[in-house]
Amino acid sequence: GGDSLGDFAVERSRTDSDVTPSFNLQWQPSDDVMLYVTLAQGFKSGGFDFETAKEFEEETVDAIELGVKSTLADGSLELNAALFRSEFTDLQTAAWVIDHFETGNAGKSLTQGLEVDFRWQLSAAVNLSGSMALLDAKFDEFRDGYCSGWGARNGVCSASLSYDQTGDPLQFAPDYSGSLNIEYVTFIGALELSAALGIDFTDAYYTAADLDPVSEQAAFAKLNARIELASSDNWSLALVGKNLTDKETTTWVNDHPVFNAAALEAYFASVDPPRSLGLQAKYNF
């Protein structure tokens, strides 16, 4: 068949198939502790890029996870941890290239790290919970990486709008991230009063696939809170505050195609919500 990018008429086909086995072994040395190991393979079929009509290949992954799930302190503490490692071959990637998204394949990438989470009932009224993730995510091989800019901007992009990203970190991959939350619950007569305070934090990460320095989101922490008054049967009223310290962060930053085509340094960004306060009411009929 043939293909035409201009009118997006594509007459092409492909067939992908794979066998993806998985293996899980669990061991419970005591009633309160469970250890496990998981070995698995994954598969994502290939396809055709809508914007360019280029074909991209299937993606495969070999993954291993070692973990523990436990209940400690006479049942008041739940503690879980997992070590993981995933090796991707022909990782499917999407990047903003000049004025469109383009889907293709990286050679090889590695994602590995440690995740820990806990929930601790400190008393009948106070509950503490949290999570922490340490992450190492990088391209083991990506000779023809994306460059979303125009030409040799930032000293890494060639005239062909590609460069070697081997060894570079993946986008949206902070070295660490996590959360910590505390909740207090008490009763005022027949009404339940709960107050929760939480912090979400993350290390710096890039939001553009070509790791443009302008797209780097610096490390930050956001504070959230909630106070709720509820009856035992049918209604509740809550005051909710998000991003209370009004941190300014971005979900995604990239080059602006029109202005950069005119040799101007311009970007567009998706900005996260600022500080917000809300009132929530619920009534069950």
Side-chain angles (χ1 to χ4, degrees):
D3 57 71
S4 172
L5 178 61
D7 56 10
F8 298 99
V10 178
E11 297 179 9
R12 300 171 66 183
S13 65
R14 62 175 290 140
T15 300
D16 293 315
S17 63
D18 195 43
V19 177
T20 54
S22 64
F23 171 80
N24 179 267
L25 178 65
Q26 296 182 4
W27 177 47
Q28 195 159 338
S30 71
D31 292 340
D32 299 325
V33 177
M34 188 271 283
L35 307 174
Y36 68 91
V37 57
T38 300
L39 302 173
Q41 291 185 326
F43 168 80
K44 185 188 294 183
S45 62
F48 302 94
D49 182 77
F50 176 75
E51 294 284 356
T52 64
K54 293 179 181 178
E55 186 172 4
F56 55 89
E57 299 303 318
E58 68 270 16
E59 169 191 313
T60 59
V61 60
D62 296 315
I64 181 172
E65 182 174 326
L66 303 172
V68 56
K69 296 181 181 294
S70 63
T71 302
L72 308 171
D74 295 326
S76 65
L77 173 62
E78 295 178 5
L79 179 62
N80 308 308
L83 279 168
F84 60 91
R85 179 183 174 93
S86 299
E87 297 181 359
F88 293 84
T89 300
D90 289 328
L91 176 71
Q92 292 175 8
T93 57
W96 180 262
V97 181
I98 301 180
D99 60 355
H100 65 274
F101 276 105
E102 187 172 315
T103 302
N105 297 97
K108 295 181 179 179
S109 68
L110 173 66
T111 300
Q112 59 186 356
L114 169 67
E115 293 181 341
V116 179
D117 66 85
F118 75 94
R119 182 179 178 88
W120 193 1
Q121 193 70 45
L122 296 174
S123 69
V126 180
N127 181 274
L128 184 66
S129 63
S131 64
M132 180 74 177
L134 303 177
L135 179 64
D136 176 25
K138 63 183 180 182
F139 291 112
D140 275 352
E141 181 184 332
F142 196 6
R143 303 298 181 188
D144 192 22
Y146 293 108
C147 178
S148 59
W150 293 74
R153 189 176 51 75
N154 295 324
V156 294
C157 301
S158 67
S160 63
L161 296 179
S162 67
Y163 71 104
D164 189 349
Q165 287 191 249
T166 300
D168 283 351
L170 274 62
Q171 66 185 131
F172 305 114
D175 289 342
Y176 65 83
S177 61
S179 64
L180 185 63
N181 305 278
I182 188 168
E183 183 181 24
Y184 175 78
V185 179
T186 189
F187 286 89
I188 303 175
L191 301 179
E192 181 183 88
L193 176 66
S194 63
L197 185 66
I199 184 170
D200 299 321
F201 57 89
T202 179
D203 193 18
Y205 55 87
Y206 292 95
T207 64
D210 65 351
L211 309 186
D212 189 324
V214 176
S215 79
E216 184 179 19
Q217 171 58 59
F220 66 86
K222 291 186 178 182
L223 189 65
N224 307 302
R226 178 186 178 92
I227 299 175
E228 183 179 50
L229 187 65
S231 71
S232 59
D233 48 11
N234 56 5
W235 65 267
S236 66
L237 187 65
L239 178 63
V240 180
K242 297 182 179 181
N243 190 15
L244 293 177
T245 55
D246 202 24
K247 291 289 185 180
E248 184 176 311
T249 59
T250 55
T251 303
W252 187 57
V253 177
N254 225 310
D255 304 86
H256 193 289
V258 176
F259 292 106
N260 274 353
L264 298 175
E265 197 79 9
Y267 295 82
F268 64 95
S270 176
V271 181
D272 294 320
R275 176 174 51 228
S276 64
L277 295 174
L279 190 64
Q280 296 180 345
K282 182 172 66 175
Y283 185 84
N284 295 323
F285 295 94

